[in-house]
């Protein structure tokens, strides 16, 4: 009989005033006892609406039933059949729009804490994972470009099928946004590394410091004997607003700010990469990246951090939990505000941001109400650092060096419903196709592409 | 890991390293650079590919120890390995079609970057007037290499202790006034030097290419840390450059942005030197 309590079993968190000064994980996770109790809330529905909300199709009620029985090993096995990175997904997925958004228990009360449970199982099993049984090699080679969520998922799925998989990564560390973008306090890097190590144990080879499009082209990968290529190069090219003052000292893209902090560990004394010591910081944007940048700025010592967003709180695209956490930690939200100019001092350092007040107009084609400037509302916000988190677009490097690879107006690779690009044998997925989206959508695309690559290679081998 | 095959001191503060990096050596071209991370704790720093040997699979870097990261790198010996080397990055230098005569100008350690340009142009059969500037004769580097890569080598010293007494800009102006008729000028070195070279060539309308050196992190176009203003537009030096039309570059903004971390850089050197800075 299910536990009919309306609310989720609460999860332990660091206190806001303590955690706003450290980079340790904010959410501490369930204990075994709490996990089992939360698992009992699942009704084990016949039609499993939760599963339809999961882009990688985790068999949710099945694994939760095992958690309720206290059999974590079995729960882990079930999750791993469809999800290569459960410790990551359980932490960073916007569950409210996905699995938990579809949960029947959410109609009256809170949905089952599916993310928390997935995370619990992965954390509980860390270091206790069953010995990897390597599949029989099938003699075929696949190249993956980019070691972010989509590439790693595709690599994991193909390795399970016996493919010899090589992942080419431009940075010195695999993980993509999981390593350089999402901060330690949301996603500890040792956990990401552990999930990546699990992939390499399955035989996935990762080559770092390899910028495809520069050191090797896609066509050269085919010449080297790879029969298919998956492009999971993400959308890492930051946008700036194009307003005056963006060249001042103290103006960062969120990508630069977060890369210095997360990948280069600029907040740790023993690492050489510097970062500005700011007092008053404005982050422009309202997505997860903006939340991550704002909360990171607090943690490296800023006294005041503003999130400047041109729409209202209701339109914030960030994950609800992160907005809530940011507010608890003291980040101030200046919604319906839009920067129009950045002002500097005599040394070329930022001293203020000129903000213009906005109001919401009629809904546009996308259904969102567009912000309209309020005339004569300009004012100066005193800040010494500005972080632009207004989005990213795909890096042109691969499309510019690969003949036959078509892109749309926004520079995103064009694919069909099997994730096949316009070039034979080349598949793509994740932000490189969709523009900046979520980790789990990228993983879903990687999964779909892996299945399509498997079918493609089987098909050409049969023909031969 | 990338093994150091050869390490050679070129002067008191400038070091040359041949690094085993076959993938990079195969693709490298004059004007491109690599990003290097000496060890786990180091920064990623950009260094121009000073030379490459496709057969041996090596690339050459030449750098001056000016701060913490270059000191860490300089402390590595032959046989040691550099943690990360990524490249070749940036766009290779594109020359005007049918160039016949070019002045290649290097300032200080910038000569290490001017050298591959001169070498490539020289191999193309272009008349290369190589103007190399140094503070004094003790810090002159690559003299033989530069001589063999140019039609004529003009070494200038600020104090007159060797070669021409004066700045590279003085020598350049002399050559122009004497009717050198350059199709193009390529200037590589400290920002002020590049800026003044552009000032010299502008009235003569001689196309001038500069190789910019802003702060970089990834070097692949994903952070915009290296953004520079060229002809009023924002460009990312790591993917759009590092070469740009010098007459369009906002040098003042570049100088300012390069000073972003001057304070923390000093502290970093202090920590490595145990309290003493290297000036």
């Amino acid at each position: 009989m299910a536990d009919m309590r309306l609310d989720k079993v609460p999860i332990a968190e660091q206190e806001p005033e303590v955690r706003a000064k450290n980079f340790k994980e904010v959410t501490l996770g369930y204990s075994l006892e709490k996990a089992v109790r939360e698992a009992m809330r699942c009704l084990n529905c016949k039609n499993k609406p939760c599963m339809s909300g999961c882009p990688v199709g985790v068999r949710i009620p099945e694994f939760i039933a095992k958690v309720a029985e206290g059999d974590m090993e079995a729960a882990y096995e079930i999750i791993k059949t469809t999800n290569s990175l459960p410790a990551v997904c359980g932490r960073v997925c916007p569950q409210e729009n996905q699995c938990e958004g579809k949960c029947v228990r959410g109609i009256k009360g809170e949905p089952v804490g599916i993310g928390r449970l997935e995370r619990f199982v992965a954390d509980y099993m860390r270091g206790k994972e069953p010995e990897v049984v390597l599949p029989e090699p099938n003699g075929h080679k696949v190249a993956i470009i980019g070691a972010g969520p989509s590439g790693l998922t595709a690599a994991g799925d193909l390795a399970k099928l016996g493919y010899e998989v090589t992942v080419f990564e431009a940075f010195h560390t695999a993980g993509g946004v999981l390593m350089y973008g999402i901060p330690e306090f949301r996603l500890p890097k040792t956990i990401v590394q552990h999930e990546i190590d699990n992939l390499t144990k399955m035989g996935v080879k990762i080559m770092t410091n390899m910028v495809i499009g520069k050191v090797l082209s896609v066509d050269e990968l085919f010449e080297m004997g790879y029969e298919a290529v998956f492009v999971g190069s993400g959308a890492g090219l930051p946008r700036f607003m194009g307003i005056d003052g963006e060249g001042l000292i103290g103006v960062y893209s969120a990508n630069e700010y977060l890369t210095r902090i997360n990948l280069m560990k600029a907040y740790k004394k023993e690492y050489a990469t510097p970062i500005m010591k700011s007092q008053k910081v404005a982050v422009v944007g309202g997505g997860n990246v903006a939340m991550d940048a704002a909360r990171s700025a607090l943690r490296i010592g800023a006294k005041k951090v503003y999130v400047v967003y041109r729409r209202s709180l209701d339109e914030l695209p960030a994950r609800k939990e992160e907005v809530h956490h940011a507010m608890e930690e003291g980040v101030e939200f200046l919604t319906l505000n839009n920067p129009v100019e950045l002002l500097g001092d005599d040394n070329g350092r930022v001293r203020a941001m000129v903000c213009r007040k906005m109001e919401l107009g009629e809904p546009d084609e996308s259904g969102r109400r567009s912000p309209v400037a309020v005339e004569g509302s300009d004012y100066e916000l005193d800040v010494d650092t500005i972080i632009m988190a207004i989005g990213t677009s795909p890096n042109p490097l691969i499309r510019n060096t690969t003949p036959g690879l078509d892109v749309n107006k926004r520079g995103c690779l064009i694919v069909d419903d099997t994730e096949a690009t316009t070039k034979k044998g080349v598949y793509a997925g994740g932000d490189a196709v969709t523009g900046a989206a979520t980790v789990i959508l990228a993983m879903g695309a990687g999964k779909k592409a892996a299945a399509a690559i498997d079918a493609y290679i089987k098909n050409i081998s049969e023909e031969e | 890991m990338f093994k150091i095959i050869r390490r050679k001191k070129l002067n008191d503060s400038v070091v040359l390293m041949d690094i085993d990096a076959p993938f990079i050596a195969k693709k490298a071209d004059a004007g491109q650079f690599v990003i290097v991370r000496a060890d786990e704790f180091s920064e990623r720093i950009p260094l121009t590919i000073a030379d490459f040997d496709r057969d041996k699979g090596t690339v050459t870097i030449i750098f001056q120890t000016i701060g913490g990261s270059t000191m860490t790198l300089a402390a590595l010996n032959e046989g040691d390995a550099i943690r990360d080397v990524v490249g070749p990055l940036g766009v290779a230098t594109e020359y005007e079609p049918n160039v016949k005569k070019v002045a290649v100008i290097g300032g200080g350690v910038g000569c290490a970057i001017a050298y591959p340009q001169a070498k490539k142009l020289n191999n193309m059969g272009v008349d290369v007037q190589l103007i190399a500037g140094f503070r004094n004769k003790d810090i002159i580097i690559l003299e033989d290499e530069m001589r063999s890569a140019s039609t004529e080598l003009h070494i200038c010293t600020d104090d007159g202790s060797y070669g021409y007494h004066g700045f590279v800009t003085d020598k350049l102006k002399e050559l122009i006034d004497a009717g050198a008729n350059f199709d193009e000028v390529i200037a590589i070195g400290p920002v002020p030097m590049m800026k003044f070279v552009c000032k010299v060539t502008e009235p003569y309308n001689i196309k001038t290419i500069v190789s910019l050196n802003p702060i970089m992190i990834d070097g692949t176009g994903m952070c915009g840390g290296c953004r520079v203003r060229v002809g009023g537009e924002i460009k990312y030096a790591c993917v759009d450059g590092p070469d740009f039309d010098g007459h369009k570059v906002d040098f003042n903004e570049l100088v300012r942005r390069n000073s972003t971390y001057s304070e923390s850089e000093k502290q970093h050197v202090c920590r490595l030197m145990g309290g003493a800075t290297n000036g």
Side-chain angles (χ1 to χ4, degrees):
Chain A
M1 185 52 212
D3 179 338
M4 291 312 289
R5 264 179 279 208
L6 291 180
D7 294 342
K8 286 180 186 175
V9 174
I11 198 161
E13 287 176 353
Q14 280 196 74
E15 290 300 325
E17 48 287 4
V18 177
R19 71 183 194 231
K21 296 190 177 66
N22 69 49
F23 272 86
K24 287 185 208 145
E25 195 170 18
V26 166
T27 309
L28 303 172
Y30 277 150
S31 59
L32 174 62
E33 183 248 342
K34 282 188 171 175
V36 171
R37 219 168 77 214
E38 179 63 20
M40 309 272 280
R41 291 184 64 234
C42 174
L43 301 176
N44 205 354
C45 310
K46 247 201 204 93
N47 58 351
K48 310 178 193 340
C50 52
M51 275 185 69
S52 70
C54 175
V56 297
V58 170
R59 286 143 58 202
I60 294 166
E62 277 181 66
F63 98 76
I64 292 184
K66 291 295 172 193
V67 176
E69 286 170 25
D71 187 351
M72 300 310 153
E73 200 162 325
Y76 183 76
E77 285 289 286
I78 293 167
I79 296 171
K80 286 290 275 189
T81 55
T82 57
N83 187 348
S84 314
L85 312 166
V88 172
C89 293
R91 287 175 163 84
V92 305
C93 278
Q95 286 101 359
E96 70 259 28
N97 306 324
Q98 293 176 333
C99 54
E100 295 183 21
K102 302 270 167 109
C103 175
V104 170
R105 293 297 308 267
I107 299 168
K108 205 171 123 188
E110 289 186 331
V112 174
I114 300 165
R116 296 170 176 192
L117 290 173
E118 182 181 43
R119 166 191 168 156
F120 172 78
V121 172
D123 289 358
Y124 184 88
M125 291 300 293
R126 188 171 319 121
K128 301 198 274 281
E129 292 99 338
E131 196 69 30
V132 181
V133 187
L134 286 175
E136 199 59 40
N138 67 11
H140 296 287
K141 284 167 71 177
V142 177
I144 309 273
I145 302 173
S150 72
L152 292 178
T153 302
D157 280 18
L158 288 165
K160 275 184 211 158
L161 295 169
Y163 287 93
E164 187 185 327
V165 182
T166 309
V167 182
F168 295 91
E169 165 59 38
F171 260 138
H172 58 256
T173 306
V177 76
L178 307 175
M179 280 296 191
Y180 76 74
I182 304 174
E184 187 82 20
F185 56 82
R186 213 148 71 77
L187 182 61
K189 301 304 149 226
T190 49
I191 287 172
V192 181
Q193 193 54 53
H194 188 81
E195 302 258 50
I196 293 168
D197 292 345
N198 282 343
L199 279 177
T200 53
K201 276 186 202 145
M202 280 169 44
V204 172
K205 192 172 162 205
I206 298 178
M207 290 182 76
T208 53
N209 295 317
M210 296 292 274
V211 183
I212 302 301
K214 283 290 179 191
V215 70
L216 288 171
S217 68
V218 169
D219 286 324
E220 283 170 314
L221 291 175
F222 283 114
E223 283 162 27
M224 288 163 75
Y226 293 99
E227 291 155 86
V229 174
F230 174 76
V231 183
S233 50
L237 191 77
R239 288 196 200 118
F240 286 89
M241 297 189 70
I243 56 177
D244 282 348
E246 285 184 313
L248 292 166
I249 299 175
V251 182
Y252 287 98
S253 73
N255 264 11
E256 179 183 352
Y257 197 74
L258 291 170
T259 299
R260 285 180 181 274
I261 290 177
N262 298 320
L263 186 72
M264 305 312 295
K265 311 212 180 310
Y267 64 95
K268 289 186 179 173
K269 170 160 113 261
E270 63 271 33
Y271 287 81
T273 301
I275 194 149
M276 295 242 321
K277 288 170 186 55
S278 315
Q279 296 296 311
K280 287 182 177 174
V281 179
V283 181
V284 182
N288 286 320
V289 175
M291 300 306 125
D292 287 343
R295 298 172 69 196
S296 297
L298 269 186
R299 283 161 170 79
I300 59 170
K303 299 283 174 291
K304 188 77 215 171
V305 178
Y306 304 97
V307 165
V308 179
Y309 180 55
R310 65 199 184 113
R311 298 176 198 252
S312 75
L313 268 187
D314 291 337
E315 282 87 12
L316 276 180
R319 202 170 167 252
K320 270 201 180 111
E321 187 180 333
E322 309 319 327
V323 177
H324 173 69
H325 279 155
M327 285 178 172
E328 279 187 334
E329 288 162 12
V331 173
E332 190 175 324
F333 285 74
L334 299 175
T335 52
L336 293 168
N337 266 279
N338 201 28
V340 288
E341 190 187 352
L342 312 179
L343 306 177
D345 64 15
D346 295 343
N347 300 316
R349 292 183 175 266
V350 166
R351 67 169 178 81
M353 173 192 269
V354 180
C355 288
R356 185 165 296 171
K357 296 261 172 79
M358 311 296 278
E359 53 191 22
L360 289 182
E362 293 302 311
D364 59 13
E365 315 89 81
S366 71
R368 285 209 298 184
R369 297 177 63 192
S370 323
V372 184
V374 178
E375 284 310 313
S377 62
D378 291 8
Y379 69 99
E380 283 184 20
L381 182 71
D382 287 346
V383 285
D384 56 21
T385 303
I386 291 165
I387 303 167
M388 291 294 176
I390 52 169
T392 52
S393 44
N395 192 309
L397 199 47
I398 288 172
R399 65 173 195 252
N400 288 351
T401 54
T402 311
L405 205 56
D406 291 348
V407 294
N408 67 17
K409 282 202 298 265
R410 296 183 299 137
C412 301
L413 296 173
I414 295 169
V415 296
D416 66 12
D417 52 14
T418 68
E419 308 285 334
T421 66
T422 50
K423 188 179 170 79
K424 192 172 177 288
V426 179
Y427 293 74
D431 289 0
V433 168
T434 57
T438 62
V439 169
I440 191 69
L441 285 175
M443 290 176 62
K447 195 161 202 66
K448 204 153 108 191
I453 288 170
D454 180 43
Y456 166 78
I457 290 180
K458 280 193 178 129
N459 196 21
I460 48 173
S461 344
E462 270 165 28
E463 278 170 17
E464 272 159 12
Chain B
M1 302 288 262
F2 296 78
K3 199 168 167 194
I4 299 166
I5 305 295
R6 181 168 74 115
R7 181 189 186 281
K8 192 179 160 196
K9 254 187 116 164
L10 298 187
N11 70 27
D12 272 355
S13 66
V14 176
V15 176
L16 171 152
M17 286 177 178
D18 287 342
I19 301 163
D20 180 40
F23 279 112
I24 305 173
K26 210 173 145 197
K27 284 289 172 70
D29 200 357
Q32 291 189 295
F33 66 95
V34 288
I35 293 259
V36 170
R37 189 173 73 129
D39 64 31
E40 182 56 36
F41 298 99
S42 294
E43 289 175 274
R44 294 168 65 96
I45 54 167
L47 293 170
T48 300
I49 299 169
D51 210 345
F52 51 85
D53 186 323
R54 300 204 204 282
D55 297 331
K56 286 189 196 145
T58 59
V59 293
T60 305
I61 53 170
I62 295 174
F63 58 93
Q64 185 166 23
T65 50
I66 46 162
S69 296
T70 41
M71 285 164 67
T72 309
L73 193 60
L76 297 174
N77 290 311
E78 236 163 63
D80 289 346
I82 298 173
R83 178 81 187 220
D84 300 292
V85 181
V86 58
L89 300 170
V91 181
T93 305
E94 286 162 13
Y95 311 109
E96 289 282 297
N98 311 316
V99 277
K100 290 189 184 64
K101 191 167 186 180
V102 174
V104 177
I105 305 172
V109 73
C111 291
I113 311 168
Y115 165 65
Q117 302 282 3
K119 186 173 160 187
K120 186 172 171 184
L121 285 163
N122 195 48
N123 289 342
M124 287 161 59
V126 173
D127 178 337
V128 178
Q129 298 292 313
L130 183 41
I131 309 174
F134 299 94
R135 275 201 315 279
N136 58 55
K137 80 172 191 317
D138 299 336
I139 60 166
I140 293 171
I141 57 168
L142 301 173
E143 185 175 356
D144 295 342
E145 287 85 347
M146 290 193 291
R147 199 174 301 284
S148 69
S150 57
T151 312
E152 218 177 326
L153 173 66
H154 312 270
I155 289 188
C156 314
T157 50
D158 298 358
D159 64 358
S161 52
Y162 190 83
Y164 176 85
H165 185 175
F167 297 130
V168 290
T169 42
D170 303 329
K171 185 74 212 177
L172 174 66
K173 198 160 183 327
E174 268 190 34
L175 291 175
I176 294 170
D177 290 341
N181 216 358
F182 294 119
D183 299 309
E184 200 169 322
V185 170
I186 298 173
I188 301 157
V191 181
M193 181 215 99
M194 294 192 285
K195 182 177 159 180
F196 287 118
V197 166
C198 292
K199 285 226 166 106
V200 169
T201 58
E202 204 160 14
Y204 298 93
N205 237 335
I206 305 169
K207 182 167 185 194
T208 305
I209 303 283
V210 292
S211 176
L212 300 188
N213 50 0
I215 295 172
M216 286 189 191
I217 301 98
D218 60 289
T220 61
M222 60 87 61
C223 87
C226 67
R227 62 191 188 276
V228 288
R229 197 181 296 267
V230 183
E233 276 181 68
I234 300 286
K235 297 278 181 190
Y236 292 0
C238 72
V239 288
D240 301 321
D243 291 347
F244 292 100
D245 178 342
H247 294 150
K248 293 185 178 162
V249 169
D250 184 339
F251 285 106
N252 296 339
E253 187 172 287
L254 176 63
V255 169
R256 276 207 309 266
R257 287 187 59 81
N258 276 354
S259 74
T260 305
Y261 300 103
S262 39
E263 274 310 304
S264 26
E265 184 52 37
K266 266 184 231 153
Q267 284 166 16
H268 179 198
V269 174
C270 277
R271 283 208 304 279
L272 288 175
M273 302 287 287
T277 65
N278 69 342

